[in-house]
Amino acid sequence: MVDKQTAGHDKLGDFAPKFADLNDNVLFGEVWSRESELSAHDRSMITISALISGGNMEQAGHHMTLGKKNGITQKEISEMITHLAFYVGWPKAWSAFNLAKEIWNSNVDLELTLRCLINI
């Protein structure tokens, strides 16, 4: 089960309340909660792939941390990024590997990791 997301309201609630609402309640509340259609593990794999493809490494880092929590293994993330390298570009794969290595090798508490990645 996906945890209640509050990052939108926490980070942008005063500045962009509608965006915060859509982020927390629609994207993470309605879309991510449809686990009978697609597991959180698979949603994380897809989301991480999309973010790496677009070069959105700040968000990819957050989603890698979430993906690790959703059961993505080091072997899976490594294979996924290797595969993506040929489709989205070698530099994007290097950047993604740098993030993934830090996240999968870390023994730091999940909340601490999320705070560090969000505040890059």
Side-chain angles (χ1 to χ4, degrees):
M1 177 136 184
V2 177
D3 294 332
K4 170 71 175 142
Q5 176 66 254
T6 62
H9 284 96
D10 295 348
K11 295 285 185 181
L12 294 172
D14 292 337
F15 188 78
K18 185 58 180 179
F19 182 87
D21 179 62
L22 292 169
N23 182 80
D24 296 353
N25 298 319
V26 177
L27 174 58
F28 285 97
E30 294 178 27
V31 176
W32 273 84
S33 67
R34 296 169 43 91
E35 290 188 53
S36 62
E37 288 79 9
L38 198 60
S39 71
H41 174 277
D42 291 350
R43 285 183 195 279
S44 285
M45 295 279 284
I46 293 164
T47 302
I48 293 165
S49 295
L51 293 169
I52 292 169
S53 297
N56 301 302
M57 293 305 158
E58 181 178 345
Q59 292 78 18
H62 165 74
H63 278 280
M64 284 182 191
T65 301
L66 181 60
K68 183 178 177 184
K69 180 182 173 194
N70 288 336
I72 297 175
T73 66
Q74 182 272 324
K75 185 176 179 179
E76 287 175 316
I77 196 73
S78 179
E79 188 62 29
M80 183 173 67
I81 296 169
T82 299
H83 185 80
L84 284 170
F86 291 92
Y87 291 92
V88 304
W90 215 253
K92 289 178 184 174
W94 267 104
S95 295
F97 270 124
N98 287 332
L99 282 172
K101 185 176 174 185
E102 181 178 320
I103 292 165
W104 267 264
N105 286 340
S106 174
N107 291 323
V108 177
D109 177 71
L110 176 64
E111 287 301 317
L112 178 60
T113 303
L114 285 172
R115 278 187 294 226
C116 290
L117 290 170
I118 291 170
N119 292 320
I120 290 177

